[in-house]
Amino acid sequence: MKIAVDAMGGDFAPGVVIEGLADAIPDHPDCTFVLVGHEEKVSFYLDKYGLTGNPAIELFHAPTVCEMGELSTTALRGKKDCSITACARLLKEKAVAAMVTPGHTGATVAATKVLVRNLPGIDRAALAASMPSQAGRFLLVDAGANPDSDSLNLVQFALMGSIYAQYLFQVEKPRVGLLSVGGEDVKGNELTKETFKLLEKLPINFIGNIEADAAFEGGVDVVVADGFVGNVFLKSAEGLARLTMVWLKRVLKKNVFRFMWAMLAQNAFRELKAYGASDVIGGAPLLGVNGICIIGHGSSNPLAVKNAIRVAAECVRFDLNGKILAALDECGDIARKRHEKQA
Amino acid sequence: MKIAVDAMGGDFAPGVVIEGLADAIPDHPDCTFVLVGHEEKVSFYLDKYGLTGNPAIELFHAPTVCEMGELSTTALRGKKDCSITACARLLKEKAVAAMVTPGHTGATVAATKVLVRNLPGIDRAALAASMPSQAGRFLLVDAGANPDSDSLNLVQFALMGSIYAQYLFQVEKPRVGLLSVGGEDVKGNELTKETFKLLEKLPINFIGNIEADAAFEGGVDVVVADGFVGNVFLKSAEGLARLTMVWLKRVLKKNVFRFMWAMLAQNAFRELKAYGASDVIGGAPLLGVNGICIIGHGSSNPLAVKNAIRVAAECVRFDLNGKILAALDECGDIARKRHEKQA
């Protein structure tokens, strides 16, 4: 199995990526890693981590990088030779079974959309983000790849999310909820009302509408939403989490006694932070692309990179895409891409 | 000035409501309060709080209550004589200048929509919720009254939100942001892209798109979104806040030393909780209704009720609705209700 790894992705590339790769290699004796990035910079770090000449690594030179602040379209226009685009091409040509990038989410979505295309029958690929809950974790699909989606897209997101959850949570019938507002009362907006009727007919464990606050209590494995709503859901939680940390620091620094007391409890706060941490999760897959694609946080640390690589390899072994295609077949018309729709 | 107060609203009615009213009366010598609810139950608590015969209070009998778990339409169909509907009728007849209910948000939205109607020119009324940020607080409009809205609705939400923010935050030019995803890169979905162009032309201090996490950092006074997205934004933050408290308790109860240490720091945690508390805020106004309408949290405590009454009175004195109408006039066509639209 060959996996492309974007060495230039994220805020601390390529050092952090190569360190993560070094940690991952022993766990995947069946894999070869195509390390994509600027040859010189990559070689320097390969040497640093003792990986020069390692038979599990192939180098692929990509002269430019789509930086974190740049537009997504840069990967397709201004910097066609950037590492993300190179990874996407390798995936398209099936030179690799999977690609892993800790970098620019928008650029990856754009590059895979245009170069790799989706699995036959899948209209839009969706980002599946792992969110914390009182019971552990749940998946949010689409966490932000598509700002505009219709009910067919949501139906496909539910299907793909359910299959990915079978792998991620090791459950046979992941509980799938449709993100909505108003509970039984309002029943959502036009899009979710239409989607609800379709989801009821799918061969998935659809548990009905779920409100955003209820999702955090547990009881659901996959939360389905269009990319705009999903991204607001994700970013609102992230924003409130950061705000809570700011408040906690203010409260604990208020006077010297509190400060000393807080110092004694540092490991307690570290545990609190760990509840929300995503390094062990292993990045977010772009479900529906014709090739496994895993996107990490921009500020991925080596552990996060190692886990992203692990998830990529496991998705290939799990035959995620084969299962998605089989599920589409099983569903028939209800989940089919409308041929009159423009790609 | 007469203000209708729904005595039966919320989880602890009518005791909590009447206690809050008792605290509020001395602050508003220019107000008479029409206390709406079941005469017997109300009289019992008026007696308990020494308000029997108080000249600032009139009783209005409403035999039924739209309970928290019931459908919003109950207020208009099954229980037409419930306290919320009675308050809405008083507002419609201009027997009162404002109504305050700590109760069922959906029922209040439904009752005011059908019975009171909106200010001339306003297409949809919107719930304005106060959210915390690193810099203090910001308003979210629409926090959930309308699951489906178009760009005209959002333009009107921005206008009304800006005027309400002038009162609430005592600022001349509240900074108004449009809730979006993707920053400068994606620019949002079809609805927000269309709305953006219109907001740029309004006589408000429009600062552009704002992502959900950035809103919590401060730098914006009013965040505009359609009711579905707004409600997800609000509920996601609430859900994450509750989850954080669950984690904090787990972390602090892990062993006896941590537990003792946590006991010593109870006031620190109380301060942390207070950052997010909404009792001082005073409820959320339903902006655009042809009469001031303030909705509190269902579990309002007496302080929250007292503040909701204060906000209602201040909105009347501030002439919130007069200012909204003047602003609509000033904007002209760009903010005008399309007459061909069905009500």
Side-chain angles (χ1 to χ4, degrees):
Chain A
M1 189 199 312
K2 281 195 176 182
I3 298 178
V5 179
D6 175 13
M8 314 309 286
D11 299 325
F12 308 107
V16 154
V17 179
I18 292 171
E19 192 183 341
L21 176 59
D23 296 336
I25 287 172
D27 296 341
H28 307 284
D30 59 335
C31 293
T32 306
F33 298 94
V34 181
L35 195 51
V36 181
H38 196 284
E39 263 177 341
E40 272 183 48
K41 298 179 186 176
V42 164
S43 299
F44 173 83
Y45 282 96
L46 282 176
D47 206 49
K48 179 177 175 181
Y49 291 103
L51 294 172
T52 310
N54 188 306
I57 298 177
E58 290 176 23
L59 261 68
F60 191 99
H61 178 64
T64 62
V65 183
C66 186
E67 306 282 3
M68 290 308 279
E70 294 188 278
L71 295 181
S72 300
T73 44
T74 308
L76 298 165
R77 289 173 195 166
K79 292 181 173 179
K80 288 185 188 177
D81 51 4
C82 71
S83 53
I84 287 176
T85 307
C87 285
R89 280 208 195 91
L90 287 167
L91 197 60
K92 172 198 174 50
E93 292 155 10
K94 301 207 189 293
V96 295
M99 67 173 273
V100 176
T101 172
H104 199 307
T105 305
T108 309
V109 170
T112 53
K113 187 173 186 172
V114 172
L115 295 171
V116 189
R117 304 284 173 140
N118 296 331
L119 290 165
I122 291 291
D123 185 47
R124 299 274 178 91
L127 200 64
S130 169
M131 310 277 291
S133 78
Q134 290 187 32
R137 298 200 80 94
F138 66 93
L139 269 179
L140 169 67
V141 190
D142 174 13
N146 306 285
D148 289 285
S149 305
D150 60 20
S151 53
L152 171 76
N153 296 136
L154 265 57
V155 160
Q156 295 191 338
F157 296 168
L159 208 62
M160 297 192 289
S162 182
I163 292 165
Y164 185 68
Q166 284 177 328
Y167 146 68
L168 192 69
F169 303 134
Q170 303 274 296
V171 289
E172 223 187 286
K173 298 185 181 188
R175 298 155 297 183
V176 181
L178 178 61
L179 187 60
S180 189
V181 303
E184 284 317 298
D185 202 358
V186 174
K187 298 194 188 300
N189 62 12
E190 292 307 319
L191 173 61
T192 62
K193 285 181 201 173
E194 194 183 321
T195 304
F196 189 103
K197 294 178 202 161
L198 298 173
L199 291 178
E200 286 185 302
K201 300 177 189 171
L202 282 189
I204 58 171
N205 183 8
F206 177 50
I207 62 166
N209 286 336
I210 186 151
E211 290 195 85
D213 54 345
F216 292 103
E217 287 166 18
V220 65
D221 300 303
V222 182
V223 171
V224 179
D226 73 70
F228 189 96
V229 171
N231 196 256
V232 166
F233 176 71
L234 171 69
K235 291 228 149 74
S236 177
E238 287 183 349
L240 201 290
R242 283 200 288 271
L243 179 61
T244 305
M245 288 298 142
V246 167
W247 286 342
L248 201 51
K249 283 182 190 148
R250 282 186 198 171
V251 161
L252 297 177
K253 284 182 180 174
K254 203 171 175 187
N255 58 52
V256 74
F257 295 109
R258 285 221 188 140
F259 191 73
M260 276 164 48
W261 164 90
M263 287 295 109
L264 290 169
Q266 283 195 77
N267 57 341
F269 292 117
R270 227 170 278 136
E271 271 179 45
L272 181 68
K273 277 190 110 176
Y275 268 109
S278 47
D279 357 1
V280 294
I281 307 309
L286 201 47
L287 300 174
V289 174
N290 199 349
I292 302 298
C293 179
I294 308 292
I295 305 173
H297 267 258
S299 51
S300 287
N301 53 47
L303 178 62
V305 172
K306 176 186 174 185
N307 280 310
I309 288 170
R310 174 181 57 74
V311 167
E314 287 175 352
C315 283
V316 175
R317 292 183 201 118
F318 176 74
D319 193 21
L320 175 67
N321 282 351
K323 289 187 164 68
I324 288 175
L325 288 170
L328 274 183
D329 266 342
E330 189 191 340
C331 288
D333 277 344
I334 203 176
R336 236 182 262 290
K337 180 164 101 176
R338 279 170 237 115
H339 293 283
E340 61 272 26
K341 268 181 80 148
Q342 288 188 322
Chain B
M1 190 199 312
K2 282 195 177 182
I3 298 178
V5 178
D6 174 13
M8 314 309 286
D11 299 323
F12 307 108
V16 154
V17 179
I18 292 172
E19 192 184 340
L21 176 59
D23 297 335
I25 286 173
D27 296 342
H28 308 283
D30 58 337
C31 293
T32 307
F33 298 94
V34 182
L35 195 52
V36 181
H38 197 284
E39 263 178 341
E40 271 183 48
K41 300 177 184 175
V42 164
S43 300
F44 173 83
Y45 282 97
L46 281 176
D47 207 49
K48 179 177 176 183
Y49 292 104
L51 293 173
T52 309
N54 189 306
I57 299 178
E58 291 176 21
L59 261 70
F60 190 99
H61 178 63
T64 62
V65 184
C66 185
E67 308 280 3
M68 290 309 280
E70 295 188 277
L71 295 180
S72 300
T73 44
T74 308
L76 296 166
R77 290 173 197 165
K79 292 183 174 179
K80 287 186 187 176
D81 52 4
C82 73
S83 54
I84 287 176
T85 306
C87 286
R89 280 209 196 90
L90 288 168
L91 198 60
K92 172 200 174 49
E93 292 156 10
K94 301 208 188 293
V96 296
M99 68 174 272
V100 176
T101 173
H104 199 306
T105 305
T108 309
V109 170
T112 52
K113 187 173 186 173
V114 172
L115 295 172
V116 189
R117 303 287 172 137
N118 295 332
L119 290 166
I122 291 292
D123 185 49
R124 300 276 176 87
L127 200 64
S130 169
M131 310 277 291
S133 79
Q134 289 186 32
R137 299 198 80 92
F138 66 91
L139 270 179
L140 170 67
V141 190
D142 175 11
N146 306 285
D148 288 286
S149 306
D150 59 20
S151 53
L152 171 77
N153 295 136
L154 265 57
V155 161
Q156 295 190 339
F157 297 167
L159 208 62
M160 298 192 290
S162 182
I163 292 166
Y164 185 68
Q166 283 176 328
Y167 146 68
L168 192 70
F169 303 134
Q170 302 273 296
V171 290
E172 225 186 287
K173 299 185 181 187
R175 297 154 299 182
V176 181
L178 178 61
L179 187 60
S180 189
V181 305
E184 284 318 298
D185 202 358
V186 173
K187 297 194 188 301
N189 61 13
E190 293 306 318
L191 173 62
T192 62
K193 285 182 200 171
E194 195 185 320
T195 305
F196 189 103
K197 295 180 203 158
L198 298 172
L199 291 178
E200 285 184 304
K201 301 179 189 169
L202 282 190
I204 58 171
N205 184 6
F206 177 50
I207 60 166
N209 285 337
I210 185 152
E211 290 196 85
D213 55 345
F216 291 103
E217 287 165 19
V220 65
D221 301 303
V222 182
V223 171
V224 179
D226 73 69
F228 190 96
V229 171
N231 196 257
V232 166
F233 177 71
L234 171 69
K235 292 230 147 78
S236 177
E238 288 183 348
L240 201 289
R242 283 201 286 273
L243 179 61
T244 306
M245 288 298 142
V246 167
W247 286 342
L248 201 51
K249 282 180 190 152
R250 281 185 198 170
V251 161
L252 297 178
K253 285 181 178 175
K254 202 171 176 187
N255 57 51
V256 73
F257 295 110
R258 284 219 189 142
F259 190 73
M260 276 165 48
W261 164 88
M263 288 294 109
L264 289 170
Q266 284 194 74
N267 57 340
F269 292 117
R270 228 171 276 137
E271 272 179 45
L272 181 67
K273 277 190 110 178
Y275 268 109
S278 48
D279 355 359
V280 293
I281 305 310
L286 201 47
L287 300 174
V289 174
N290 199 348
I292 302 297
C293 179
I294 308 292
I295 305 172
H297 267 258
S299 53
S300 286
N301 53 47
L303 179 62
V305 172
K306 176 185 173 184
N307 280 310
I309 289 170
R310 173 181 57 76
V311 167
E314 288 175 351
C315 282
V316 175
R317 292 183 201 119
F318 176 73
D319 192 22
L320 175 67
N321 282 351
K323 288 186 163 70
I324 288 174
L325 287 170
L328 273 183
D329 268 342
E330 189 190 340
C331 287
D333 277 344
I334 202 177
R336 236 182 260 290
K337 179 163 105 177
R338 278 169 240 115
H339 294 283
E340 61 271 26
K341 268 180 78 148
Q342 288 189 322

